[in-house]
Amino acid sequence: MAEYLDDVARFNRDAWERLAEAGIEYSRPWLDLDAESARARLDPENAMGDVAGKAVLCLAGGGGQQSAAFALLGANVTVIDISETQLERDREAAQHHDTDVRLVTGDMRDLSAFGDDSFDLVYHAHAICFVPDVAPVFDEVARVLRRGGLYRVSCPNPYGHGLWDGGWDGCGYCIRSPYVEGQEIVYQDECWDVEGPDGRTRRVPGPREYRHTLTTLVNGLLERGFRLLRIREWPTGDPDAEPESWEHFAAFAPPWWTFWSRYMPGSE
């Protein structure tokens, strides 16, 4: 891992080590996959096409999930993640499925382990909220991605980032922090409730998170030569569900967005 790692990276690396060891959902390898279910999990937007033989980078994507799915679809898979425990889950999944996956420890802002034009697809897990500035991430993705390659990135809904499903006041879920790029998100409770594979719930301190505005995300991609293909807001929830349930909350503020883009520098 690069020596330059800052306090944010060290804090979040340690947080993800704790979360992974506690058995968080995102650290449970997908061991029940076949090709059909692998594609459904990776690409509900039906945006990526055939990946057989393609060089795929799972960016900040440890946990034994996306890497297993891509490998079963015939891709040549590399995973970079800041957490060694998360990467161990990818090793477990690869052994289970009898596939080959390259594992690299590192920060998403520093892809110096890879040469220019190394990948056909960069699949960015829901992790860009863990860095205070998206610019170095987008710069590195543009460098390692081949012309015509795809970049898929998932992020929190920037308008609702920091809301939580326990904040119903009888009329709505109240926005309590200003809409500021790079602002650290401070939750009332800094711990994540993690139900492990054994059924026990542990309270584990979470990583630091940062808001990235729609302007920053979209313009940051466009300015680097990415052409937006598809945007998805999800899940949409159920407005008739019990207030403060996850389904009810998601109906008011879909928590996550996914962007698919194609790298076409110099194109009009």
Side-chain angles (χ1 to χ4, degrees), residues 45 123-129 151-157 217 232 234 255-260:
E45 299 89 2
Y123 194 95
H124 199 165
H126 189 84
I128 204 164
C129 55
Y151 178 36
R152 179 267 193 196
V153 57
S154 176
C155 63
N157 178 340
L217 294 166
R232 179 188 179 209
W234 58 285
W256 303 309
W257 289 3
T258 298
F259 297 86
W260 281 93

Side-chain angles (χ1 to χ4, degrees), residues 38-49:
R39 178 168 292 279
R41 292 194 191 187
L42 290 173
D43 186 23
E45 299 89 2
N46 195 27
M48 73 181 185

Side-chain angles (χ1 to χ4, degrees), residues 152-233:
R152 179 267 193 196
V153 57
S154 176
C155 63
N157 178 340
Y159 299 111
H161 196 185
L163 298 179
W164 71 101
D165 56 6
W168 180 253
D169 65 2
C171 297
Y173 294 90
C174 183
I175 295 175
R176 292 176 170 82
S177 58
Y179 189 66
V180 176
E181 167 60 31
Q183 179 186 46
E184 184 168 0
I185 300 298
V186 178
Y187 293 95
Q188 286 189 342
D189 189 340
E190 296 180 356
C191 290
W192 291 18
D193 290 331
V194 180
E195 183 177 340
D198 58 2
R200 294 177 54 199
T201 298
R202 300 167 175 82
R203 295 184 55 71
V204 182
R208 294 179 182 173
E209 297 185 36
Y210 300 87
R211 185 194 315 279
H212 300 303
T213 65
L214 181 61
T215 296
T216 294
L217 294 166
V218 172
N219 288 343
L221 292 170
L222 296 177
E223 289 164 2
R224 289 165 177 81
F226 289 95
R227 180 182 298 171
L228 286 173
L229 302 176
R230 189 177 296 272
I231 300 173
R232 179 188 179 209
E233 300 169 286

